[in-house]
Amino acid sequence: MSTNARIGLGLADGSVLSVYHHWDGYPEWLGRILKQEYNTKEKVAELLDGGNMSSCYSDNVYDYDKQEFVKRDPQPEYYGGDNEAPRLSKNFTQFAFDSNSGEEFLYLYEDNKWNGFSIDHKYYKDGGVADTKIIPVEIPDFDVADDS
C-alpha cells in the first residue's frame, strides 16, 4: 500500500504549482527528503518540472534484461506522459481541496522552507468531497545516524 502526497511550490502571486507523489509520502520519509535534498526554490521548481511521480528520490530501477532491481544514484522517478504535467492552483485552499487523488499529506515550499500537512477528505456517496480537514504536521530533521 502506498502513502500518497502532493508536493507544491508557493508562487509570488499566491498560486501553488504542484505534482502528485505516489510512494512513502509520510513526513518521516518524504518530508525529510524534501528538506534535505530539495531545499531551494530552484531545486523544488526543477523537481516539479518533471510532473507527477512515483518517487522523488529513488535509488534503484528495474532492469528488464536482468529481471531485477539495480542500484543507481538517487533521482526522481517520473511517470511521464501528457497527463502528468504539474498542476497550477490559484491558492492554498484550491491546492488542498483539489488534492483528491488519495493524497494523505501535502507539502508546500514557500518562504524558503517546507511546511507539511495531513489531509483528510470525507466524501459523499457520489464521490464528491463533503469535507476536508487540513492539519499541520512536523517534518523531522534528517538524522545522519539513520541510514534507512
Side-chain angles (χ1 to χ4, degrees):
M1 189 118 177
S2 60
T3 304
N4 311 139
R6 183 156 287 277
I7 303 169
L9 173 62
L11 304 177
D13 65 357
S15 62
V16 178
L17 186 67
S18 70
V19 297
Y20 172 81
H21 185 280
H22 190 73
W23 294 107
D24 300 320
Y26 47 91
E28 295 80 7
W29 192 85
L30 179 56
R32 204 179 69 179
I33 292 296
L34 292 171
K35 278 177 73 172
Q36 175 188 333
E37 300 296 328
Y38 303 100
N39 50 19
T40 68
K41 184 177 181 178
E42 294 75 23
K43 288 180 181 179
V44 176
E46 183 178 351
L47 173 67
L48 299 185
D49 191 49
N52 295 332
M53 65 191 77
S54 177
S55 177
C56 71
Y57 199 73
S58 178
D59 66 354
N60 62 61
V61 65
Y62 193 75
D63 184 322
Y64 288 95
D65 292 332
K66 295 180 181 178
Q67 294 290 299
E68 64 184 27
F69 284 95
V70 294
K71 287 287 189 185
R72 66 174 183 188
D73 289 336
Q75 64 189 46
E77 189 69 37
Y78 295 106
Y79 291 135
D82 295 337
N83 295 326
E84 305 298 339
R87 180 177 75 202
L88 184 63
S89 302
K90 65 181 179 180
N91 54 36
F92 179 83
T93 301
Q94 185 183 32
F95 164 66
F97 280 73
D98 285 350
S99 295
N100 53 11
S101 298
E103 292 94 331
E104 296 177 54
F105 294 96
L106 304 173
Y107 296 94
L108 180 64
Y109 188 84
E110 64 181 350
D111 299 325
N112 297 313
K113 68 176 185 168
W114 283 105
N115 294 291
F117 306 89
S118 68
I119 182 169
D120 182 25
H121 289 304
K122 301 295 182 210
Y123 295 93
Y124 293 114
K125 288 181 182 178
D126 69 1
V129 176
D131 186 35
T132 300
K133 292 183 181 174
I134 307 294
I135 302 165
V137 296
E138 183 177 343
I139 300 173
D141 289 324
F142 181 71
D143 181 359
V144 293
D146 181 5
D147 61 357
S148 55

